[in-house]
Amino acid sequence: MTLSLVHCHPATGTVATITATGGVAVGGYVHHCWRGVGACVTQGRFTNPWYPTQVHGALVDGATAKQALGAAISQDSDAALRQCLVMDAHGRSSVHSGSENIAEVADIRFPGVAAVGNMLQSSDVVQILAEQFLSLSATNSGAAIKRSEAPHYPNHHDRHLLAHLIGALDAALDAGGDKRGTRSAALRIESFQQAPIDLRVDWSEDVVAALRELADQFMSDDFQAFWRHLPLR
């Protein structure tokens, strides 16, 4: 299983991703995000680690998420083995789930928020991941989940993204994540208002607890004093 969420906030350019899997070192292969540009998660039965380079180039050149994803897939003779989610800076998303992925395979997409997974215990997991993120983050989460309104976020949205990503993953894994058990997880946040956040759990029996421990260390006074002095570009 690999389970991932991407989030783009068009008004600020903030982009975030979180992913988890039953294998080792998911953060090194699956999720990629670029502030003001978009995001890509590349997973599936056999991940193609070269998709993000192609997707990033296409997005920078002005392609939509659908166009960027299509360009990457068209050059891959084994696309049936892949699952890929792309979101552009406007919050538009596109998903490819190849026919040779292992069930359950699912995705759900809202403006600026999307989740995708394969080899899941239940297809409900991706819905819970995305809806819990919206419930934690959006000021109009009920309407956003019902798709009657686009999500709206408070001015302090970026400051709480770290906790909201982990909280959403926790809810999703409680609902049934990897058939093999979930062993690694990672998240990344890129923003024009703060330095990047990149946390990775490469192997753990409790990836959410390990992510929360990393987040606590990240939020400690000593590290914050260092992090807040990092340049923004």
Side-chain angles (χ1 to χ4, degrees):
M1 180 281 296
T2 309
L3 172 68
S4 300
L5 177 140
V6 301
H7 165 55
C8 292
H9 189 354
T12 64
T14 296
V15 183
T17 55
I18 189 166
T19 188
T21 194
V24 66
V26 70
Y29 296 97
V30 170
H31 70 148
H32 307 264
C33 64
W34 313 284
R35 62 182 185 173
V37 174
C40 172
V41 292
T42 173
Q43 50 196 51
R45 190 166 181 179
F46 295 99
T47 299
N48 186 326
W50 310 114
Y51 277 5
T53 300
Q54 297 168 288
V55 167
H56 179 262
L59 292 177
V60 168
D61 288 341
T64 65
K66 183 176 181 179
Q67 291 168 338
L69 177 60
I73 292 169
S74 68
Q75 300 176 46
D76 184 3
S77 60
D78 290 319
L81 298 167
R82 322 297 185 202
Q83 186 177 56
C84 186
L85 166 62
V86 175
M87 184 173 287
D88 61 35
H90 299 285
R92 301 170 298 197
S93 60
S94 186
V95 175
H96 165 77
S97 293
S99 60
E100 294 188 35
N101 281 290
I102 299 172
E104 294 285 334
V105 177
D107 67 84
I108 186 168
R109 291 179 285 151
F110 300 92
V113 178
V116 64
N118 61 82
M119 204 189 296
L120 301 168
Q121 297 223 15
S122 166
S123 60
D124 293 340
V125 173
V126 294
Q127 181 175 352
I128 292 168
L129 178 61
E131 290 186 357
Q132 182 67 9
F133 178 79
L134 286 170
S135 295
L136 292 169
S137 300
T139 56
N140 64 335
S141 58
I145 290 169
K146 292 178 181 177
R147 303 179 189 275
S148 59
E149 296 177 4
H152 301 296
Y153 304 101
N155 292 333
H156 52 77
H157 177 55
D158 282 11
R159 296 203 302 269
H160 300 287
L161 256 178
L162 176 59
H164 292 169
L165 289 168
I166 298 174
L169 180 64
D170 191 12
L173 294 182
D174 276 348
D178 197 315
K179 292 179 179 178
R180 305 162 294 173
T182 307
R183 295 292 180 264
S184 67
L187 64 83
R188 184 171 177 88
I189 301 169
E190 290 206 6
S191 168
F192 291 102
Q193 288 77 44
Q194 57 191 27
I197 301 173
D198 191 336
L199 303 183
R200 304 184 182 194
V201 176
D202 285 336
W203 187 262
S204 174
E205 296 298 316
D206 188 340
V207 295
V208 171
L211 263 184
R212 285 198 165 119
E213 184 175 355
L214 283 175
D216 287 345
Q217 293 298 321
F218 173 82
M219 293 302 297
S220 68
D221 291 343
D222 286 349
F223 192 82
Q224 286 290 296
F226 161 78
W227 179 71
R228 294 191 181 281
H229 282 83
L230 298 182
L232 299 182
R233 57 176 297 170

